[in-house]
Amino acid sequence: MDTRDVAVFLGLDVGKGEHHATGLTLDGKNVVDKPLPNSEPKMRAMLDKLTAKYGKVLVVVDQPASIGALPLAVARDAGCEVAYLPGLTMRRIADLYPGEGKTDARDAAIIADAARTMPHTLRSIELDDETIAELHMIVGFDDDLAGEVTRVANRLRGLLTQIHPHLERVLGPRIQHPAVLTLLERLGSPKAIRKAGRRRLVTLLRPKAPRMAERLVEDIFTALDEQTVI
């Protein structure tokens, strides 16, 4: 990141209800070092004051999602630059600083100083075209998997309907349940299921469906008794 025109490097160690803010000028002068409530008015007031007094502010966080989302949104809206210092990078940099105790103030100071002295360690939080393309690919892969699961489930239900419609009415709606898949994998046919008997089926299904095993077995045998031909 190009930080040559940044006047204040504001490091935020983000927290659920409160952050700690440390601000350093380009020459290392500490201009902010205090807790900051996770509140838009409080954060906006600090950023506006720093911008008015010093100029461009760069807000750097150690996690950009979840609890770090509001500070970044407020910073962007206030006209500040934003960046992210990856956690692993921060931990390695922290080893170079004196003291071993982990405190919010120490972490915020490390984030601010790393941004000031090692801008190459920072990561942009803006989504570029490449990132969006990667997300599309991941989502597409997810869609493919979901489509394949649906296809296999429908194929299994079709086979059950062809062989034993009564059994399909019991197992079909639960076809993706681990207990039903275990049953079909281990036994595989109405004849084998009936031969196994109630007790063995309950033992087989209980680890996958503790509360449903006995009821499911009774429903299965009721269905098997309703159809005498295969």
Side-chain angles (χ1 to χ4, degrees):
M1 294 187 66
D2 187 359
T3 59
R4 287 174 294 182
D5 58 345
V6 173
V8 176
F9 299 84
L10 186 68
L12 285 183
D13 182 62
V14 296
K16 190 172 184 180
E18 186 177 76
H19 317 303
H20 194 96
T22 298
L24 302 176
T25 60
L26 191 57
D27 58 3
K29 180 183 176 183
N30 194 318
V31 294
V32 175
D33 186 10
K34 65 178 184 178
L36 180 64
N38 193 26
S39 156
E40 180 179 345
K42 298 287 186 182
M43 287 186 279
R44 190 179 292 276
M46 173 185 283
L47 295 173
D48 288 346
K49 184 177 178 181
L50 290 173
T51 301
K53 187 172 182 179
Y54 298 100
K56 181 177 284 188
V57 176
L58 171 63
V59 177
V60 185
V61 297
D62 58 347
Q63 52 176 306
S66 184
I67 56 178
L70 180 60
L72 292 175
V74 174
R76 280 198 185 98
D77 194 60
C80 301
E81 298 290 328
V82 295
Y84 162 52
L85 182 64
L88 180 58
T89 303
M90 182 186 162
R91 295 274 70 85
R92 288 172 175 168
I93 294 173
D95 291 339
L96 305 175
Y97 287 77
E100 296 182 357
K102 184 187 183 304
T103 64
D104 294 345
R106 181 174 184 268
D107 284 354
I110 291 171
I111 294 170
D113 200 41
R116 182 180 71 89
T117 59
M118 294 178 280
H120 63 279
T121 62
L122 303 179
R123 299 289 180 268
S124 171
I125 306 176
E126 303 297 334
L127 287 178
D128 56 18
D129 292 339
E130 183 180 351
T131 305
I132 293 173
E134 290 175 357
L135 289 172
H136 278 307
M137 183 184 70
I138 293 170
V139 171
F141 184 60
D142 243 12
D143 289 342
D144 289 344
L145 288 176
E148 184 67 12
V149 168
T150 301
R151 187 190 68 79
V152 173
N154 289 340
R155 176 64 175 152
L156 286 172
R157 294 192 70 170
L159 287 170
L160 279 171
T161 301
Q162 178 181 330
I163 297 167
H164 205 296
H166 290 268
L167 189 59
E168 192 281 331
R169 283 197 285 272
V170 174
L171 300 182
R174 308 179 175 108
I175 198 69
Q176 295 186 41
H177 193 286
V180 174
L181 293 175
T182 299
L183 173 71
L184 295 176
E185 179 186 355
R186 296 285 184 86
L187 300 174
S189 71
K191 183 178 179 180
I193 292 172
R194 183 186 291 278
K195 185 177 179 181
R198 285 177 167 81
R199 184 177 298 177
R200 184 183 167 196
L201 254 60
V202 170
T203 303
L204 176 66
L205 301 183
R206 184 168 283 142
K208 302 291 185 180
R211 291 181 294 180
M212 186 177 70
E214 293 186 8
R215 184 176 74 252
L216 179 59
V217 169
E218 286 304 315
D219 290 346
I220 288 171
F221 274 89
T222 299
L224 292 175
D225 290 339
E226 288 176 351
Q227 183 175 323
T228 59
V229 295
I230 303 287

